[in-house]
Amino acid sequence: MKPLCGAALLLLLCAAACAQDSSCICEKNKRVTNCRLESGVCRCDSIGSPGVSVNCQTLTSKCLLMKAEMISSKSGRREKPKDAFEDTDGLYDPECENTGVFKAKQCNGTTCWCVNTAGVRRTDKHDADLKCSQLVRTMWIIIEMKHAESKAPLNAESLKTFFKDTISKRYMLDRRYIANVLYEKPYITIDLKQNSSEKSFGDVDIADVAYYFEKDVKGDSVFHNNQLRVNVDNEMLSFEKTAVYYVDEIPPEFSMKSLTPGLIAVIVVVIIAIVAAIVVLVLTRRRKGKYVKAEVKEMNEMNRGLNA
């Protein structure tokens, strides 16, 4: 075997180095595959979305993340804690545009509905003939968290500073979109506001931020090996409950059929109470009228007796 000349050896070393550098880790999304460096930027294929790659320097859209989560859950590749049970509220297999945003119309078999930019259903469910004319923007997201008992009283300003710093740095959201952080023990409420006219090209979407944040708080981080630790004034906080509410630029289109049984029961009770009150009022007035008539009749009879 002939010894390699210097030039050939240099080429082999360069090729090996290039091959080694061509792979990368997507720090902001663990639900990806086939990661590679392209012009110095780590790009990966989004699981469940063939032909769609994501930029690992920014957040991945919520639609692609939900798609990847559904695929992972179906395949059983994701490791689950021994006490885990499935929570399917809000989770479905979405249809995404090539840009990563949700398609306005989502379907599960022959049942379809319209969603907002956060992928949340905003209409009743219909058949496949349903028309969704536009993808309505979610302009305000309210994140409400109930924290577990703390060792010492929490400082409202410290909480506000922590969450504003975390949301702006960890999720790369411009601070002008963090409208408020309110503390009313034991609840912490975060308001994210971003309408169509305010959002600039390159800004992360508040729907994606809220999804990443909710996953972090619930211990199912999308980030690669980077768990969120809520440490306020040297005290680690844990959360018992997290709820996310959405406000769209156009009001949702729900009918009475979509109301929860509890709410319907309350409405029925109120209606019955109003009807009962009206019935009682009518009966009372009738009885009072009869009494007045009888009293007038007796007076007339007395007058006739005196005149006689």
Side-chain angles (χ1 to χ4, degrees):
M1 185 180 209
K2 292 183 179 181
L4 291 170
C5 65
L9 182 59
L10 184 61
L11 285 173
L12 283 176
L13 289 174
C14 287
C18 290
Q20 185 176 5
D21 291 342
S22 63
S23 62
C24 56
I25 294 175
C26 193
E27 298 291 346
K28 291 182 171 59
N29 184 359
K30 64 185 180 183
R31 297 173 187 157
V32 292
T33 187
N34 189 28
C35 295
R36 66 274 180 191
L37 283 173
E38 295 182 1
S39 302
V41 176
C42 185
R43 297 193 69 88
C44 306
D45 296 336
S46 184
I47 292 175
S49 301
V52 178
S53 66
V54 299
N55 180 350
C56 293
Q57 290 185 339
T58 189
L59 301 188
T60 302
S61 72
K62 180 181 176 181
C63 190
L64 294 178
L65 291 175
M66 285 178 60
K67 188 84 173 175
E69 185 174 357
M70 284 297 297
I71 296 296
S72 298
S73 298
K74 289 176 182 178
S75 65
R77 289 195 299 268
R78 186 175 62 183
E79 184 179 352
K80 300 176 179 63
K82 62 182 181 65
D83 296 327
F85 59 93
E86 187 175 11
D87 178 10
T88 58
D89 280 348
L91 184 63
Y92 60 93
D93 189 2
E95 290 293 323
C96 311
E97 302 285 0
N98 289 335
T99 56
V101 301
F102 289 93
K103 290 187 176 181
K105 179 179 176 180
Q106 299 289 333
C107 297
N108 181 10
T110 58
T111 303
C112 299
W113 60 93
C114 302
V115 300
N116 55 23
T117 52
V120 178
R121 183 167 66 88
R122 48 173 280 109
T123 65
D124 293 332
K125 292 185 177 181
H126 299 271
D127 57 26
D129 293 332
L130 174 68
K131 304 296 182 184
C132 302
S133 59
Q134 63 175 314
L135 182 65
V136 177
R137 175 154 192 80
T138 297
M139 63 178 184
W140 181 10
I141 296 180
I142 305 162
I143 305 170
E144 184 182 82
M145 301 171 290
K146 180 183 179 182
H147 68 74
E149 191 65 32
S150 57
K151 296 177 182 177
L154 298 177
N155 182 277
E157 284 303 315
S158 297
L159 280 168
K160 188 173 184 178
T161 300
F162 173 85
F163 283 109
K164 282 199 170 186
D165 288 346
T166 298
I167 291 172
S168 62
K169 294 175 182 177
R170 184 176 177 86
Y171 310 106
M172 301 180 296
L173 183 67
D174 194 300
R175 294 177 78 94
R176 73 179 187 272
Y177 299 133
I178 309 172
N180 191 30
V181 178
L182 177 66
Y183 181 50
E184 298 171 305
K185 185 182 179 181
Y187 291 97
I188 302 168
T189 304
I190 301 172
D191 291 302
L192 305 179
K193 294 184 178 181
Q194 183 188 62
N195 59 38
S196 301
S197 61
E198 291 175 328
K199 190 175 185 295
S200 305
F201 178 78
D203 284 343
V204 294
D205 196 287
I206 58 172
D208 301 336
V209 172
Y211 188 74
Y212 267 81
F213 183 81
E214 184 182 8
K215 288 291 183 182
D216 270 343
V217 171
K218 291 182 176 180
D220 185 24
S221 180
V222 178
F223 288 97
H224 180 81
N225 197 26
N226 184 9
Q227 297 293 322
L228 174 66
R229 289 173 174 80
V230 182
N231 189 329
V232 179
D233 292 338
N234 297 319
E235 179 164 358
M236 294 293 296
L237 291 183
S238 60
F239 298 93
E240 298 176 347
K241 183 180 179 182
T242 302
V244 182
Y245 303 91
Y246 304 87
V247 180
D248 294 345
E249 290 184 342
I250 300 175
E253 302 169 5
F254 292 114
S255 66
M256 284 290 292
K257 291 188 296 182
S258 65
L259 295 177
T260 61
L263 183 56
I264 293 175
V266 171
I267 294 173
V268 170
V269 169
V270 171
I271 293 173
I272 292 174
I274 293 173
V275 171
I278 293 172
V279 170
V280 170
L281 182 62
V282 170
L283 291 176
T284 301
R285 287 184 174 179
R286 284 182 177 177
R287 287 173 184 169
K288 186 176 180 181
K290 289 179 179 178
Y291 175 76
V292 170
K293 288 180 180 178
E295 190 177 51
V296 170
K297 182 178 179 182
E298 290 176 359
M299 290 295 294
N300 290 334
E301 289 178 352
M302 289 176 64
N303 290 332
R304 284 197 296 271
L306 291 172
N307 292 331

